């Protein structure tokens, strides 16, 4: 039987708990309001968001090299790019692929060459350190294929130092072991104009005759080991490479000319206006240089447009400048919309209506696309990653946009949602997963060809993309059961791909935290019980890698050594903490101590302007060889996590 004192104590405790909860909600609401206001202020009047997308120093170095290739040097821009490059040098003199990462020889070689072109004294301390580091790694001959091709074009090494990639590849039939349709979209768009540059052995104008012979341990003409032998299959391909060089003189001129014309026609069809070939920098610059090499005048409309596409990627600041690898408006807009929808659908209705109307305006339909080779009878309905890239709709973006629309509760979006979902279901690979742009792009033997030393030739299914496709299909299948078979296949693929520790790999975001968040968000849309091992093992793993400060962080080195770095970093980040929290909330962990600690970390690290600032790179373009920093991730993901947490508390 309770005494009066016990009743009074319980009443006091209840009052204190209610007061604490009100104070917590007040703090959450204040943080959400500040973050929301800042994000809304960054919306373009047309309705979209687009944040800077930064890569490693290879891209701005290549821009400087392009200016010297053409003898078209913007001295002021070059000086600003040189400032950008110098400011990103590591202590040991090298250049990494991501902030805080180890030095990488190919990036370092290109930066050295670009800085020398920009007028830096090779005896200056930063150049000496960089040169010594490159030599300690075996010199420029150890750089990757793309770097060696650039050096060959600038006559810094012989053409035998690069793979034999004849333009006659364009004439191969589809059944041939190597065919354009067997590689990823990014490989196709980069390679086709590159076939022309390599077959015609392009020569840079290099007006100042800048050379980098000092970067070679052995003189490039005497070097005999440009191609490391990796596997038996790789050795076979190297043998075919030698055979191709020997038989090259036997190729009839008529066949050669036909192949060049076919390559030209192929990339001309896909030039994509001022958004550029493939809407990615490496493909754009190759197309631009190939057009000029083939004799197109500088004032030809295609040449002018190709250059405009490249220059639209520039970020020019007061003291420095760099070139982005591409633009990300569709991705940024969909994710910003999801964050704002979680924050307050009603208050943000006007902004969200503009965002979704803009997204509707850029949805694809019956346009030609390379994906139609594998799915000729599938209706279009996807979105590109960029402002425009109609030949290459992005499966991941399409799933996120479709889900954001379905979550918005806005009118007049049903048609767009169902066109997107139908297209997604039709793009499923045989194993139940989804690639980023293609179906069943799994010709893994091609990663052994000499050209593919970067290991990023293909676009196979990945679990993070598959999870977002499942998330959309599960949401829409609640009223449309025709998507259930594809959804079941996707869930089986996801289940089979779970790591033994409970996490999932993140192909397009760093890394296992991203992959695990992606899957948990998708599972929440299904009828799978939260007692399922997919949930429980993932939750246990996320909790096990939480840092002492309450946050989460994961190094890009987890792509290089996942046993040591999986879920690990030497500091926490706001965007990865947000992923972990969103994943845990999707698994029903709103009351866990780990979620509360993560929320406190995000609240502590919010800036006065309402957003967060994470210095590190956020995603791989291609694991181990190319990384990205999405400048929007520390603006919308923490907001999304705070708002979701608040909303879950209110439901209780």
């Amino acid at each position: 039987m309770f005494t009066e004192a016990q009743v009074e104590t319980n009443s006091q405790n209840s009052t204190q708990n209610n007061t604490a909860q009100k104070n917590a909600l007040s703090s959450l609401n204040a943080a959400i309001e500040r973050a929301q206001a800042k994000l809304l202020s960054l919306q373009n009047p047309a309705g979209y968001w687009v944040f800077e997308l930064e890569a490693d120093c290879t891209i701005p170095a290549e821009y400087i090299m392009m200016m010297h290739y053409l003898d078209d040097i913007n001295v002021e821009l070059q000086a600003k790019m040189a400032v950008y490059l110098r400011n990103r040098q590591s202590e040991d003199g090298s250049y990494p692929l991501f902030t805080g990462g180890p030095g990488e020889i190919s990036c370092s070689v290109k930066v050295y060459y670009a800085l020398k072109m920009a007028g830096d004294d090779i005896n200056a301390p930063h150049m000496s350190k960089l040169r010594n580091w490159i030599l300690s790694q075996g010199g420029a001959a150890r750089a990757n294929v793309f770097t060696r091709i650039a050096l060959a074009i600038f006559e810094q090494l012989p053409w035998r130092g690069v793979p034999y990639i004849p333009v006659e590849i364009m004439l191969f039939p589809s059944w041939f072991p190597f065919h354009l349709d067997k590689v990823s979209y990014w490989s196709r768009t980069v390679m086709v104009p590159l076939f022309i540059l390599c077959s015609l052995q392009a020569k840079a104008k290099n007006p100042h005759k800048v050379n980098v012979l000092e970067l070679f341990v052995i003189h490039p003409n005497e070097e005999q080991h440009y191609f490391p032998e990796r596997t038996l299959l790789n050795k076979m391909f190297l043998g075919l490479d030698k055979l191709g060089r020997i038989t090259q003189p036997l190729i009839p001129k008529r066949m050669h000319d036909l192949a060049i014309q076919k390559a030209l026609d192929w990339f001309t069809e896909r030039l994509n206006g001022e958004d550029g070939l493939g809407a990615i920098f490496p493909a754009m610059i190759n197309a631009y240089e190939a057009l000029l090499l083939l004799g197109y005048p500088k004032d030809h409309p295609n040449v002018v447009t190709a250059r405009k596409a490249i220059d639209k990627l520039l970020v020019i600041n007061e003291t420095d400048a760099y070139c982005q690898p591409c633009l990300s408006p569709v991705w940024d807009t969909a994710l910003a919309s999801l964050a704002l929808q979680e924050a307050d659908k009603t208050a943000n209705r006007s902004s969200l209506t503009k965002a979704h109307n803009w997204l509707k305006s850029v949805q694809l339909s019956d346009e030609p696309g390379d994906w139609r080779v594998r799915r000729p009878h599938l209706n279009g309905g996807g979105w590109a990653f960029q402002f425009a890239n109609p030949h290459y709709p992005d499966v991941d973006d399409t799933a996120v946009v479709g889900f954001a629309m379905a979550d918005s509760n806005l009118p007049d979006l049903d048609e767009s949602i169902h066109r997107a979902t139908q297209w997604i279901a039709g793009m499923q690979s045989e194993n139940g997963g989804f690639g980023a742009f293609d179906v069943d792009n799994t010709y893994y033997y091609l990663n052994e060809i000499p050209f593919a030393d970067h290991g990023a030739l293909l676009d196979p299914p990945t679990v993070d993309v598959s999870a977002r496709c499942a998330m959309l299909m599960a949401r829409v299948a609640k009223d449309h059961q025709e998507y259930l078979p594809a959804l079941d296949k996707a869930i089986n693929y996801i289940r089979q791909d779970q790591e033994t520790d409970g996490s999932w790999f993140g192909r397009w975001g760093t890394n296992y935290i991203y992959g695990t968040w992606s899957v948990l968000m998708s599972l929440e849309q299904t009828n799978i019980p939260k007692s399922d091992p997919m949930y429980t093992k993932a939750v246990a793993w996320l909790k096990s890698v939480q840092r002492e400060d309450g946050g989460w962080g994961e190094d890009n080195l987890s792509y290089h050594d996942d046993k040591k770095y999986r879920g690990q970093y030497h500091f926490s980040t706001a965007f990865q903490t947000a992923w972990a929290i969103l994943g845990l909330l999707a698994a029903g962990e709103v009351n866990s101590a780990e979620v509360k600690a993560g929320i406190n970390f995000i609240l502590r690290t919010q800036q006065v302007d309402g957003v967060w600032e994470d210095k590190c790179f956020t995603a791989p373009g291609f694991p181990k060889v190319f990384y990205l920093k999405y400048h929007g991730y520390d603006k919308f993901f923490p907001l999304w996590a705070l708002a979701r947490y608040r909303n879950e508390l209110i439901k209780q």
Side-chain angles (χ1 to χ4, degrees):
M1 187 173 182
F2 289 111
T3 65
E4 289 184 11
Q6 287 173 318
V7 171
E8 184 176 348
T9 300
N10 290 340
S11 176
Q12 289 174 345
N13 289 339
S14 177
T15 301
Q16 290 172 352
N17 289 338
N18 288 337
T19 301
Q21 186 173 19
K22 286 181 180 178
N23 289 339
L25 286 173
S26 178
S27 297
L28 278 170
N29 283 327
I32 289 165
E33 287 292 332
R34 292 199 305 275
Q36 179 178 266
K38 180 63 175 180
L39 186 56
L40 288 169
S41 74
L42 298 172
Q43 186 177 24
N44 186 280
Y48 63 80
W49 282 266
V50 61
F51 296 96
E52 290 180 35
L53 181 58
E54 193 173 1
D56 62 72
C57 288
T58 301
I59 304 293
E62 287 176 349
Y63 191 97
I64 291 175
M65 294 175 72
M66 177 193 73
M67 292 193 288
H68 287 256
Y69 172 86
L70 302 167
D71 188 13
D72 181 15
I73 303 167
N74 181 328
V75 175
E76 182 181 357
L77 177 60
Q78 177 177 261
K80 287 189 173 186
M81 284 189 163
V83 171
Y84 176 92
L85 293 174
R86 292 187 208 106
N87 287 342
R88 280 154 181 78
Q89 187 173 23
S90 297
E91 281 295 318
D92 64 2
S94 69
Y95 281 81
L97 295 177
F98 52 87
T99 304
E104 201 279 328
I105 190 164
S106 300
C107 179
S108 298
V109 167
K110 283 186 174 177
V111 171
Y112 182 95
Y113 205 172
L115 288 176
K116 190 173 181 180
M117 288 174 173
D120 284 21
D121 186 343
I122 65 170
N123 294 315
H126 69 285
M127 294 292 278
S128 294
K129 285 179 69 177
L130 176 53
R131 180 173 62 255
N132 290 338
W133 186 88
I134 291 169
L135 292 172
S136 74
Q137 304 301 304
R142 303 283 83 81
N144 65 21
V145 163
F146 288 115
T147 302
R148 298 204 308 274
I149 289 173
L151 293 174
I153 288 172
F154 276 86
E155 301 179 86
Q156 299 304 296
L157 58 75
W159 280 98
R160 65 175 177 80
V162 304
Y164 178 60
I165 44 175
V167 72
E168 287 77 17
I169 289 172
M170 295 300 301
L171 304 178
F172 288 174
S174 59
W175 54 261
F176 201 73
F178 183 91
H179 188 271
L180 285 180
D181 294 340
K182 289 182 166 71
V183 298
S184 64
Y185 118 73
W186 55 83
S187 298
R188 290 193 289 272
T189 54
V190 169
M191 290 169 68
V192 172
L194 194 63
F195 292 160
I196 294 173
L197 293 172
C198 290
S199 292
L200 300 183
Q201 297 192 354
K203 290 184 180 180
K205 291 184 178 179
N206 195 9
H208 305 307
K209 306 303 176 190
V210 180
N211 71 77
V212 286
L213 287 177
E214 66 269 22
L215 296 185
F216 289 87
V217 175
I218 299 172
H219 193 283
N221 290 333
E222 298 173 4
E223 175 66 59
Q224 299 299 316
H225 300 288
Y226 285 110
F227 301 98
E229 295 181 353
R230 303 192 298 270
T231 65
L232 179 60
L233 185 57
N234 174 251
K235 292 178 181 179
M236 291 173 58
F237 280 126
L238 286 171
L240 292 173
D241 184 272
K242 293 178 181 178
L243 180 62
R245 294 176 196 272
I246 294 170
T247 59
Q248 181 182 12
L250 304 178
I251 298 174
K253 183 179 184 303
R254 183 178 176 183
M255 181 181 291
H256 182 71
D257 292 344
L258 176 63
I260 287 179
Q261 187 62 50
K262 190 168 183 178
L264 174 62
D265 292 344
W266 189 94
F267 77 74
T268 299
E269 178 190 339
R270 295 162 175 78
L271 275 178
N272 191 29
E274 291 185 14
D275 293 285
L277 177 61
I280 52 175
F281 174 82
M284 292 184 204
I285 194 171
N286 287 349
Y288 179 54
E289 293 179 356
L291 287 170
L292 292 170
L293 182 62
L294 291 173
Y296 280 69
K298 285 186 176 181
D299 60 355
H300 188 281
N302 286 353
V303 175
V304 172
T305 303
R307 181 57 184 267
K308 284 182 179 179
I310 295 169
D311 288 345
K312 283 174 71 173
L313 299 176
L314 292 172
V315 175
I316 302 175
N317 303 311
E318 185 176 349
T319 59
D320 68 1
Y322 74 95
C323 186
Q324 300 172 98
C326 61
L327 302 175
S328 55
V330 171
W331 185 245
D332 291 341
T333 302
L335 292 171
S337 295
L338 281 165
L340 290 170
Q341 286 165 199
E342 192 69 58
D344 195 330
K345 286 189 174 100
T346 302
N348 296 324
R349 185 180 178 89
S350 175
S351 173
L352 290 167
T353 299
K354 288 171 63 178
H356 287 295
N357 284 342
W358 180 80
L359 287 167
K360 278 179 64 177
S361 74
V362 294
Q363 187 174 19
L364 297 168
S365 181
D366 297 324
E367 297 85 353
D370 288 6
W371 60 272
R372 293 184 185 276
V373 171
R374 299 301 298 266
R375 292 291 186 266
H377 304 299
L378 179 63
N379 291 327
W383 278 270
F385 179 78
Q386 305 90 348
F387 282 106
N389 196 10
H391 272 83
Y392 305 107
D394 187 314
V395 172
D396 207 359
D397 282 60
T398 300
V400 172
V401 174
F403 183 81
M405 286 184 168
D407 177 71
S408 72
N409 298 332
L410 291 172
D412 304 321
L413 296 177
D414 283 354
E415 182 186 354
S416 287
I417 293 167
H418 288 294
R419 285 175 51 215
T421 311
Q422 288 165 7
W423 186 74
I424 287 289
M427 291 294 288
Q428 190 168 39
S429 290
E430 186 65 30
N431 65 0
F434 292 81
F437 299 91
D438 283 294
V439 177
D440 291 318
N441 194 243
T442 53
Y443 302 92
Y444 294 108
Y445 63 88
L446 291 177
N447 279 327
E448 298 298 332
I449 65 175
F451 178 81
D453 64 350
H454 55 296
L457 204 65
L458 305 176
D459 179 17
T462 61
V463 74
D464 47 358
V465 176
S466 303
R468 273 179 287 282
C469 293
M471 182 172 69
L472 172 62
M473 291 189 293
R475 178 65 178 255
V476 178
K478 292 171 184 177
D479 300 312
H480 294 268
Q481 294 190 354
E482 64 266 28
Y483 299 120
L484 289 177
L487 173 61
D488 289 342
K489 284 184 66 178
I491 294 298
N492 286 336
Y493 169 82
I494 291 167
R495 186 182 294 277
Q496 292 168 11
D497 214 53
Q498 188 172 23
E499 303 288 330
T500 55
D501 63 8
S503 65
W504 281 274
F505 178 75
R507 165 62 182 84
W508 296 99
T510 307
N511 176 349
Y512 290 91
I513 295 174
Y514 178 86
T516 305
W517 159 71
S518 301
V519 172
L520 289 174
M521 291 285 288
S522 73
L523 293 180
E524 186 184 22
Q525 297 299 316
T526 71
N527 294 323
I528 296 172
K530 290 182 169 55
S531 58
D532 186 282
M534 282 195 290
Y535 272 117
T536 57
K537 291 174 65 178
V539 166
W541 180 78
L542 281 173
K543 290 181 177 181
S544 75
V545 296
Q546 187 172 27
R547 291 176 46 77
E548 289 184 3
D549 60 6
W552 279 263
E554 186 169 9
D555 201 322
N556 283 303
L557 285 173
S558 60
Y559 291 102
H560 304 251
D561 184 351
D562 74 340
K563 290 183 179 179
K564 182 177 180 180
Y565 294 101
R566 181 182 300 192
Q568 303 296 321
Y569 209 4
H570 56 277
F571 59 87
S572 298
T573 67
F575 71 94
Q576 288 169 323
T577 299
W579 291 340
I581 290 171
L582 286 166
L584 290 171
L585 291 174
E589 291 287 321
V590 62
N591 293 317
S592 71
E594 290 83 1
V595 166
K596 186 175 181 180
I599 290 294
N600 286 336
F601 171 82
I602 291 179
L603 291 173
R604 286 198 314 272
T605 54
Q606 187 177 26
Q607 299 180 142
V608 175
D609 64 356
V611 292
W612 293 259
E613 186 177 7
D614 291 319
K615 301 292 187 183
C616 57
F617 277 39
T618 60
F622 311 114
K624 299 183 181 181
V625 294
F626 185 68
Y627 294 89
L628 300 165
K629 177 177 172 57
Y630 286 86
H631 284 240
Y633 278 18
D634 52 13
K635 297 172 180 63
F636 42 70
F637 279 120
L639 167 61
W640 189 355
L642 290 178
R644 176 69 194 274
Y645 178 65
R646 178 202 60 190
N647 295 344
E648 292 299 318
L649 287 180
I650 291 172
K651 288 178 186 177
Q652 292 185 318

